[in-house]
Amino acid sequence: MRSPFRPDAVPDAAVLDDHKPLVRTLERRGLIRGGLSLGALVMLTGCDVKRPEAVESALLALSRLTDDVQALLFNPNRLAPTYPASMILRPPKFNAYYDVMDVKPVDGATWRLDLSGLIADKHPWTLSQLQALPRSSMVIKHICVEGWSYIGGWTGVPLRVFLERVGADLRAKYVAFKTADDYPSSIDMATALHPQTLLATQYGGDPLADPFGYPVRLRMATKLGYKNPKWITAIEVTNTYPGGYWETKGFSWFAGL
Ligand SMILES: Nc1nc2c(c(=O)[nH]1)N[C@H]1C(S)=C(S)[C@@H](COP(=O)(O)O)O[C@H]1N2
Ligand SMILES: [Mo]
């Protein structure tokens, strides 16, 4: 690594040409966007572009730093916009890292929610136990990075209520989720405690349909679509950065307001 912001670290035109494939790879992986020049890349990372691994790990470190700054700026009291119930789209739009035909429904009767990490009472929860907790509803916009959005109506126990109930350490940094389809995900504690963060069990007043996460999915008004895991099977409270399915592929971890 060279020290950042050294003008002599900017490579000449020939080197730039040589490394167009690197820039394209980084773009494809979502680490940089919009034809950022290689010179800018060197300025940003302080790295020798002849070592793609160094550039990539520096960009990942930079993106983690951005996550931390965004988490600091997160206002726990600011509410995302909500909409009238008449705007709820039925049925909602589907997305996953595979086709809707390949959704494997979860059996709500045998489903258990496993708990681990910094939680006092780690007993697994059944669906009826979860449904007996106080509920809250919200009509919010779902925004997917693939370029579409819809207004949806979600009901479930606020994650804060659940975390308090099981004696989670609310000073821990992360809440991590596992899902039935192997789509790990995680959020910062401030977002976990935000009033518009629900363990949703209903859409538009009905139980979630299979494609949308039955029996339980995370639904947050303050974050992009991919941060909302469906078919949750386990929750962990931890101080160790857990990452997530798209985050490991270079997408922003914070990804929210
Ligand atoms: N378990 C799981 N959760 C997931 C995904 C997934 O592939 N698996 N995709 C995410 C993405 S990219 C989006 S946009 C939303 C889509 O949720 P929806 O089908 O309810 O619109 O779910 C998110 N949660
Ligand atoms: Mo998405």
Side-chain angles (χ1 to χ4, degrees):
M1 290 267 294
R2 304 186 198 181
S3 66
F5 309 120
R6 263 176 46 196
D8 64 338
V10 179
D12 60 29
V15 176
L16 291 183
D17 251 19
D18 269 7
H19 289 82
K20 283 206 174 119
L22 163 66
V23 170
R24 275 198 298 272
T25 304
L26 294 169
E27 277 180 335
R28 206 169 47 240
R29 299 196 49 183
L31 289 170
I32 58 173
R33 241 173 278 294
L36 178 64
S37 80
L38 212 49
L41 204 59
V42 171
M43 298 293 270
L44 203 60
T45 62
C47 286
D48 183 345
V49 287
K50 289 183 184 127
R51 291 185 48 234
E53 333 76 61
V55 176
E56 187 165 332
S57 65
L59 281 172
L60 281 174
L62 203 69
S63 145
R64 293 286 302 117
L65 183 70
T66 311
D67 287 333
D68 289 348
V69 171
Q70 284 182 291
L72 274 175
L73 293 175
F74 182 78
N75 179 342
N77 303 313
R78 185 178 56 205
L79 296 180
T82 57
Y83 303 84
S86 59
M87 288 178 75
I88 297 174
L89 182 71
R90 286 167 199 271
K93 295 187 193 183
F94 170 85
N95 199 22
Y97 65 92
Y98 45 84
D99 198 84
V100 65
M101 307 294 292
D102 296 324
V103 168
K104 292 189 189 67
V106 172
D107 179 359
T110 55
W111 176 87
R112 295 289 180 276
L113 178 62
D114 291 323
L115 302 181
S116 65
L118 305 169
I119 292 177
D121 182 355
K122 296 194 184 68
H123 278 97
W125 283 62
T126 65
L127 185 53
S128 47
Q129 286 170 334
L130 196 69
Q131 283 168 334
L133 292 176
R135 289 179 200 185
S136 151
S137 293
M138 60 185 183
V139 180
I140 55 154
K141 186 181 277 184
H142 173 126
I143 301 167
C144 176
V145 285
E146 288 174 15
W148 49 271
S149 67
Y150 69 88
I151 306 292
W154 305 91
T155 300
V157 57
L159 184 55
R160 172 193 280 274
V161 170
F162 182 77
L163 291 175
E164 285 171 348
R165 181 63 167 263
V166 297
D169 180 355
L170 304 184
R171 297 157 311 171
K173 283 172 86 166
Y174 308 107
V175 180
F177 303 86
K178 283 189 184 138
T179 69
D181 65 339
D182 212 3
Y183 183 89
S185 189
S186 61
I187 57 173
D188 57 297
M189 184 60 80
T191 302
L193 301 177
H194 187 275
Q196 290 172 308
T197 295
L198 307 181
L199 284 176
T201 48
Q202 293 187 356
Y203 182 86
D206 297 320
L208 293 180
D210 287 325
F212 305 102
Y214 178 84
V216 181
R217 61 97 49 91
L218 187 64
R219 200 47 257 195
M220 301 175 282
T222 56
K223 289 209 185 289
L224 292 172
Y226 69 87
K227 295 295 300 181
N228 295 264
K230 307 193 269 191
W231 312 286
I232 293 173
T233 55
I235 298 181
E236 179 188 9
V237 174
T238 176
N239 283 313
T240 309
Y241 175 68
Y245 183 89
W246 289 113
E247 291 87 335
T248 311
K249 296 176 169 55
F251 278 74
S252 156
W253 176 77
F254 192 79
L257 297 177

